[in-house]
Amino acid sequence: MKFVRTALSAAMLASTTSMAFADQTDIYLFLNSETTKTEIDGLSVRLDSELIDQDMTERDFMRRPRVSLTCRDDGRQLMHVSVAEDLDPWPAIAESADLETDATLKSQSGSFEELKTRVKAYRVSALLTLAIDVTGRAEAIARTWYEGMPIQMASSPTNGLKDLNLILFPDAPNQRLRDELAAVIKGCSLVSVR
């Protein structure tokens, strides 16, 4: 697993040095397959996972980055990413303030069409949380991770904050993660039929 992360980190470095942006924050996170779980009920399907940064930084349980991907029976699909304090791209956002801005979501493998969407940034227990509307793409996101490829969310706020380039990788291929992602893919397709 360490070899995979090292190889991916080298590939990320090569791609980011060619795009050297002074006012951009790049965040690379990996799903932690040991904590990934899928919950399915009659109204929604939800994948939850802790995230690991490329340096594998140890953090207190309540300070760990996390991702959730939800498909609801009303057709809404959302992804929430909580960012650890030391990775926070927008520390100027106060606990009492929210930010809404445009974002672009795409698969690094091209497995789904680029999505122009909105992201809402707010704080929960001092951690920055990004709520991203991924309606119509949740299955494709899970499928991209199932195939071992990352997804990218890019946002360029216009209020003096740095541009954000967030890339979420699946963990090293393993059966547990693939089983959880397969459950999300199937569950989202069933929920969206309603």
Side-chain angles (χ1 to χ4, degrees):
M1 179 162 63
K2 190 172 184 177
F3 172 76
V4 172
R5 285 198 184 118
T6 302
L8 289 172
S9 295
M12 292 181 296
L13 180 61
S15 70
T16 57
T17 54
S18 66
M19 307 181 311
F21 291 105
D23 288 336
Q24 175 174 302
T25 300
D26 296 318
I27 301 176
Y28 304 98
L29 297 170
F30 300 82
L31 275 73
N32 180 350
S33 61
E34 295 173 10
T35 64
T36 303
K37 65 180 178 188
T38 304
E39 294 179 14
I40 301 173
D41 64 32
L43 303 175
S44 68
V45 177
R46 180 177 166 129
L47 172 86
D48 290 300
S49 182
E50 289 181 4
L51 298 166
I52 302 169
D53 66 22
Q54 63 192 31
D55 298 325
M56 301 181 77
T57 305
E58 287 292 324
R59 295 179 178 88
D60 291 337
F61 178 76
M62 294 302 292
R63 300 288 186 214
R64 294 179 189 158
R66 292 178 167 72
V67 65
S68 69
L69 182 63
T70 306
C71 300
R72 299 187 330 202
D73 71 340
D74 64 1
R76 295 276 322 265
Q77 297 177 346
L78 300 168
M79 182 166 61
H80 289 86
V81 180
S82 294
V83 181
E85 291 161 305
D86 58 309
L87 300 174
D88 191 338
W90 298 329
I93 296 176
E95 286 196 40
S96 60
D98 294 348
L99 166 76
E100 281 199 50
T101 187
D102 293 329
T104 303
L105 185 75
K106 62 184 176 181
S107 164
Q108 293 286 297
S109 67
S111 62
F112 63 85
E113 188 177 322
E114 183 175 284
L115 174 66
K116 301 283 186 195
T117 188
R118 298 286 290 167
V119 60
K120 182 176 182 178
Y122 55 93
R123 299 219 172 262
V124 176
S125 300
L127 296 182
L128 181 70
T129 297
L130 305 172
I132 308 156
D133 184 347
V134 297
T135 300
R137 298 293 194 285
E139 287 176 65
I141 291 168
R143 191 170 287 108
T144 299
W145 287 333
Y146 184 89
E147 294 167 355
M149 300 301 293
I151 61 161
Q152 175 186 18
M153 193 276 301
S155 182
S156 299
T158 57
N159 54 355
L161 297 174
K162 289 184 177 183
D163 292 353
L164 173 60
N165 183 40
L166 173 67
I167 301 179
L168 299 176
F169 291 86
D171 200 347
N174 64 67
Q175 194 58 47
R176 184 185 190 297
L177 181 61
R178 290 175 64 88
D179 290 345
E180 295 295 332
L181 291 169
V184 171
I185 294 166
K186 184 171 186 167
C188 284
S189 68
L190 293 173
V191 168
S192 65
V193 169
R194 295 177 152 213

